[in-house]
Amino acid sequence: MAVAPPSVRVWWNEPIARTELVWMVIAFLWGVIMFFTMIFWHVFGEQNLSNETYKINPETYVAKVDAMVEQYTVREEEGFPVVRPPPGSDVYLLARAFQFYPLLELEKGKAYRMHLSSADVQHGFSLQPVNINISVHPGYDHVFTVTPTTLGEHGIVCNEYCGLGHHTMIGKIYVTEQEGAGS
Amino acid sequence: MSATAIFRACPTTGLKVNRDAEKLIRWNAVAAVVFLAIGGTFALTVALTRWPAVHLLPPDWFYLALTAHGFDALLVWIIFFEIAVLYFASAVVLNSRLAVPKLAWTQFWMMLVGALLTNVAVLQGDSSVMFTSYVPLQASPMFYLGIIIFAVGALIGCGVFFATLVVAKEEKTYQGSVPLVTFGALTAAIIAVFTIVSGAIILIPTFLWSLGLVGTIDTLMYKLVWWGLGHSSQQVNVSAHVSVWYLTAAILLGAKPLSEKISRFAFLLYIFFLQLASAHHLLAEPGVSIEWKIFNTSYAMYLAVMGSMIHGMTVPGAIEAAQRARGFTNGLFEWLRKAPWSNPAFSGMFLSLVLFGFVGGISGVVLGTEQINLIMHNTIYVPGHFHGTVVAGTTLAFMGVTYLLIPLVFRREVMFKKMAQVQPWLFAVGATGISMFMMGAGTLGVARRHWDITFADAPMVFDYPAAAFLMMGLNGLSAILAALGGAMYVIVTVGSVFFGRKLAEDENHLGFPAVSAGTAPVYGSSTHHAIPGTVVLVAIFFVAFVLYYFVNWKYLSEVWPLS
Ligand SMILES: [Cu+2]
């Protein structure tokens, strides 16, 4: 019994039955496959989160966001600026209690250098309905390249608890056809 | 000292039961059940709030209840019960006295005081920072202090466990190596020490910071070390509930391990690799290198997952071998059909085994895959996954073994037998529903820890698909079932422990059918009966695992390219 000491005193010399041995080998190989699948995806897959990150103080980051808003705002919505930065440029998105600032308008199929940081506590960037989820920290400027592939209006929901107004924290990314390829 | 220790002989197992150990197991188990009742009540209010059509609590109460639920159900209930398991697996299983009972009482009172302090802090309303309490959100100092006191108490409990092992060895209360159940408990205790030390390393500075004595705490560092506590404590749970599976199978069916070597090796893999799991919570973070993420999230190379997959065969395999040796050899599954299903200790144990593997285990590996995490991180898929491991796995296993502890340790007859028999099934159905529907909603993007997915108070609206609302409604319904099952457990346990018929000193009475342990035929490690039924079960599990894993890579490949 499992509540009694091993019945064979030198239990570590007991041979292993074939069934268990085969299962252990399968389990091990499956682990190896899963391990290398992650590495494979870094080489051949398209969805890999960059770890390019810079320490930054929140005021400096907010200043960069404001500069971008000043330069590229195309309209306003609910009092928030909608910003349309040129493809390939640096896009600064700010998370703060309780908004994602500003609203963005991006072109489908173009790559952008996206920056994410917070002005106060931790937040969660959750792009919907695409369902991409990335943590946002104050003091860290996280940079990755993103290429929108679906047209229309997308929500950014905060999915890291950030205070009593957490559930009102929402942002928008509009994705439009490429300039010259239609309206 | 040993001369003064009092023992009684257990009429069921033949073990010598130390009175100190018995008393401490009782009190820790009772405290556990009380906090399960509290945590479970908060759980129900949380689930009913997240049911869009019901939307029970206002937002401040919702975040308060969610914080309390996480702390009471994930930490307090489980660790109190685990301490009871540790004392049982050392003193009782080894026929030994409990080393330093005074310290063991210190453990009990510190954990109780700590748990109460944190609960009071949360109920005061200024510490709704969630169980994870990510800085720089700040709770009141009492919130952190309570957790620290609770953790130190738990650490003392681990110390008493280790000391009891030493006492048993020196006083030669057993022959040869420790039994497998004790070995599994030892695994749990070793991981617990690592877990609690991680907790101290991060929570002590955070406590000082909440008092204004420390300037700032780095948010990434906090997350890394906190999850050394948060995730590793789940590995304590896995080790503990796997031990409980072996324990239940041994007492009810006389099952012995198929191979001592393999089962112990699987536990050893937990010790070596489980603590890497902090990485599972940093896959979507900035500033953490990709090599670090891949190496750690896979527990080096899925070696801890391999440990669980091994137990996934050896636990049902041990049951099958014991049953076949007893003559249930027809077809693939006579051994399983003729198992003591009317005994809630068995149904709880076996349901826990199946659900932990299929629901909690598979989803955990997928969620912890570096890139796939991007489509799940912080969605409600995450609580969906860990309710599969902690609720359907650990909690259900502990509920099952309680039906053995009541006669064996509390020496009472289980009351409300019909209710006890229904309880594990009802709780299992509810817990499975909670897990699956939250995972479903998470796949559709629903955020965890979120009061209102309609965004009624927000300046802008985003519409989740109707299916997400349906999933959250079904989650609420499942939570009602689980809460009913949980309430039944509390009623049966508290009723039996305080009002059940007292068993006579020599009365062998489990209250429910079991195959008497003494009748189990002897078989050697490599010569056990073939286990074709288990092989079929394991094969089904493996196919489900592989399919689900690759389906999620397919989902990932459809989202916006990132680099
Ligand atoms: Cu937020």
Side-chain angles (χ1 to χ4, degrees):
Chain A
M1 285 208 298
V3 288
S7 45
V8 180
R9 184 112 191 178
V10 191
W11 50 266
W12 52 90
N13 279 343
E14 288 274 281
I16 296 172
R18 211 183 129 80
T19 322
E20 288 100 292
L21 197 63
V22 169
W23 177 236
M24 282 169 70
V25 170
I26 290 174
F28 177 73
L29 290 179
W30 174 233
V32 172
I33 289 170
M34 290 194 293
F35 181 80
F36 283 104
T37 306
M38 290 191 284
I39 297 168
F40 169 89
W41 201 262
H42 274 283
V43 182
F44 298 103
E46 291 198 305
Q47 292 79 12
N48 291 288
L49 186 60
S50 152
N51 66 339
E52 185 181 345
T53 304
Y54 306 94
K55 283 239 180 200
I56 193 165
N57 76 46
E59 295 78 49
T60 314
Y61 189 80
V62 172
K64 290 188 175 198
V65 175
D66 288 339
M68 176 192 73
V69 170
E70 188 134 328
Q71 202 174 355
Y72 297 120
T73 297
V74 288
R75 60 174 191 276
E76 286 213 341
E77 209 179 288
E78 313 283 343
F80 294 104
V82 180
V83 176
R84 188 184 170 93
S89 70
D90 285 88
V91 180
Y92 295 88
L93 184 64
L94 173 69
R96 65 183 167 205
F98 299 104
Q99 55 178 212
F100 284 100
Y101 180 87
L103 310 187
L104 297 172
E105 194 170 281
L106 307 177
E107 281 180 34
K108 184 183 168 183
K110 297 284 182 162
Y112 294 83
R113 253 172 81 81
M114 190 83 165
H115 295 246
L116 266 181
S117 191
S118 162
D120 38 50
V121 297
Q122 296 186 38
H123 298 278
F125 169 94
S126 178
L127 183 73
Q128 298 300 335
V130 181
N131 210 4
I132 290 175
N133 304 277
I134 301 168
S135 296
V136 189
H137 287 252
Y140 290 93
D141 177 7
H142 188 188
V143 195
F144 51 91
T145 303
V146 62
T147 311
T149 52
T150 49
L151 282 175
E153 188 181 320
H154 299 80
I156 308 169
V157 177
C158 178
N159 71 3
E160 184 61 80
Y161 176 73
C162 56
L164 286 181
H166 164 56
H167 48 273
T168 65
M169 180 162 171
I170 196 164
K172 290 264 143 124
I173 295 182
Y174 295 94
V175 180
T176 62
E177 286 289 2
Q178 285 181 28
E179 207 92 316
S183 63
Chain B
M1 180 103 189
S2 66
T4 60
I6 309 168
F7 291 90
R8 67 172 176 81
C10 173
T12 307
T13 58
L15 293 165
K16 269 168 70 189
V17 183
N18 171 245
R19 303 270 184 195
D20 285 322
E22 189 174 63
K23 208 178 268 179
L24 277 148
I25 293 167
R26 288 179 185 178
W27 279 99
N28 280 291
V30 166
V33 173
V34 169
F35 280 97
L36 177 69
I38 299 171
T41 307
F42 282 122
L44 185 61
T45 63
V46 167
L48 291 179
T49 306
R50 295 226 59 176
W51 183 346
V54 179
H55 216 213
L56 181 70
L57 299 175
D60 49 344
W61 275 95
F62 169 75
Y63 294 123
L64 183 157
L66 189 49
T67 305
H69 164 58
F71 177 67
D72 289 328
L74 197 56
L75 209 62
V76 185
W77 135 251
I78 284 181
I79 293 187
F80 263 121
F81 202 94
E82 278 164 355
I83 296 284
V85 170
L86 287 187
Y87 293 166
F88 186 90
S90 55
V92 178
V93 171
L94 297 180
N95 298 297
S96 169
R97 67 186 170 87
L98 191 72
V100 269
K102 273 217 179 88
L103 265 186
W105 285 109
T106 314
Q107 162 269 313
F108 175 77
W109 289 111
M110 283 187 77
M111 279 175 55
L112 188 63
V113 168
L116 290 175
L117 279 180
T118 298
N119 268 287
V120 169
V122 172
L123 284 172
Q124 282 174 342
D126 57 354
S127 297
S128 300
V129 291
M130 304 293 122
F131 174 50
T132 45
S133 56
Y134 289 149
V135 296
L137 274 182
Q138 198 174 59
S140 71
M142 192 160 72
F143 175 88
Y144 307 107
L145 184 64
I147 302 179
I148 292 167
I149 294 174
F150 180 85
V152 174
L155 194 58
I156 293 173
C158 293
V160 172
F161 168 78
F162 294 129
T164 304
L165 293 188
V166 173
V167 165
K169 181 108 210 148
E170 285 194 340
E171 297 178 0
K172 299 198 172 55
T173 61
Y174 63 96
Q175 300 280 312
S177 307
V178 296
L180 181 59
V181 167
T182 310
F183 189 85
L186 176 61
T187 305
I190 291 171
I191 302 172
V193 170
F194 168 84
T195 299
I196 295 165
V197 169
S198 298
I201 290 174
I202 200 63
L203 285 172
I204 291 172
T206 307
F207 169 60
L208 296 175
W209 165 76
S210 73
L211 289 170
L213 299 173
V214 166
T216 53
I217 292 184
D218 183 80
T219 55
L220 266 182
M221 185 53 70
Y222 179 93
K223 244 177 176 165
L224 174 70
V225 186
W226 193 92
W227 282 108
L229 163 80
H231 204 113
S232 307
S233 65
Q234 306 319 309
Q235 326 293 6
V236 179
N237 299 345
V238 175
S239 310
H241 77 226
V242 172
S243 303
V244 161
W245 293 342
Y246 281 116
L247 174 77
T248 309
I251 292 180
L252 288 182
L253 299 149
K256 60 172 275 177
L258 293 177
S259 158
E260 295 281 354
K261 184 159 59 175
I262 291 178
S263 292
R264 283 167 206 244
F265 170 68
F267 276 120
L268 214 57
L269 288 176
Y270 287 168
I271 298 180
F272 288 148
F273 298 107
L274 277 181
Q275 65 277 30
L276 306 183
S278 176
H280 287 123
H281 304 264
L282 283 89
L283 296 176
E285 306 311 297
V288 185
S289 86
I290 283 152
E291 295 77 12
W292 187 92
K293 286 178 180 173
I294 291 181
F295 182 82
N296 289 287
T297 194
S298 69
Y299 303 112
M301 240 197 273
Y302 292 100
L303 291 173
V305 172
M306 180 181 165
S308 286
M309 287 172 77
I310 291 173
H311 289 305
M313 169 177 270
T314 58
V315 174
I319 294 172
E320 178 170 3
Q323 289 283 79
R324 283 185 185 272
R326 206 169 272 121
F328 298 117
T329 51
N330 285 331
L332 281 175
F333 291 113
E334 193 197 14
W335 62 276
L336 190 56
R337 280 199 313 277
K338 299 274 172 72
W341 285 104
S342 58
N343 188 329
F346 181 80
S347 57
M349 177 258 150
F350 207 86
L351 289 168
S352 157
L353 168 70
V354 171
L355 295 175
F356 178 77
F358 277 88
V359 181
I362 292 176
S363 64
V365 174
V366 171
L367 175 61
T369 302
E370 196 227 342
Q371 296 93 336
I372 293 176
N373 187 263
L374 277 172
I375 57 173
M376 297 172 169
H377 177 76
N378 265 357
T379 67
I380 203 162
Y381 188 99
V382 178
H385 148 67
F386 72 72
H387 281 71
T389 59
V390 182
V391 183
T394 307
T395 296
L396 189 50
F398 288 178
M399 285 173 164
V401 81
T402 307
Y403 298 112
L404 292 178
L405 290 182
I406 291 170
L408 293 178
V409 173
F410 288 89
R411 301 301 295 150
R412 301 271 187 166
E413 183 170 352
V414 176
M415 289 174 89
F416 314 120
K417 291 217 170 58
K418 278 268 162 328
M419 196 193 279
Q421 284 172 325
V422 175
Q423 189 273 325
W425 292 96
L426 188 59
F427 190 77
V429 170
T432 307
I434 290 171
S435 301
M436 304 284 255
F437 294 126
M438 281 204 278
M439 285 193 251
T443 306
L444 298 169
V446 173
R448 69 186 294 197
R449 298 169 162 180
H450 197 283
W451 180 68
D452 181 20
I453 58 172
T454 67
F455 304 100
D457 300 339
M460 279 166 279
V461 170
F462 165 75
D463 294 320
Y464 279 112
F469 285 79
L470 176 67
M471 293 281 177
M472 294 312 291
L474 291 170
N475 172 55
L477 277 173
S478 306
I480 292 176
L481 295 183
L484 274 176
M488 286 178 170
Y489 170 76
V490 174
I491 290 167
V492 172
T493 308
V494 174
S496 309
V497 163
F498 292 102
F499 309 107
R501 181 178 67 83
K502 277 194 179 153
L503 298 181
E505 193 84 334
D506 58 347
E507 190 176 355
N508 177 4
H509 185 81
L510 278 179
F512 294 99
V515 185
S516 164
T519 62
V522 176
Y523 49 87
S525 293
S526 58
T527 56
H528 63 72
H529 281 252
I531 47 169
T534 300
V535 169
V536 170
L537 292 179
V538 167
I540 294 170
F541 167 80
F542 188 63
V543 170
F545 193 168
V546 173
L547 287 178
Y548 189 68
Y549 180 73
F550 285 115
V551 161
N552 277 284
W553 279 106
K554 169 90 174 58
Y555 289 152
L556 176 75
S557 72
E558 289 162 1
V559 308
W560 293 4
L562 288 172
S563 57

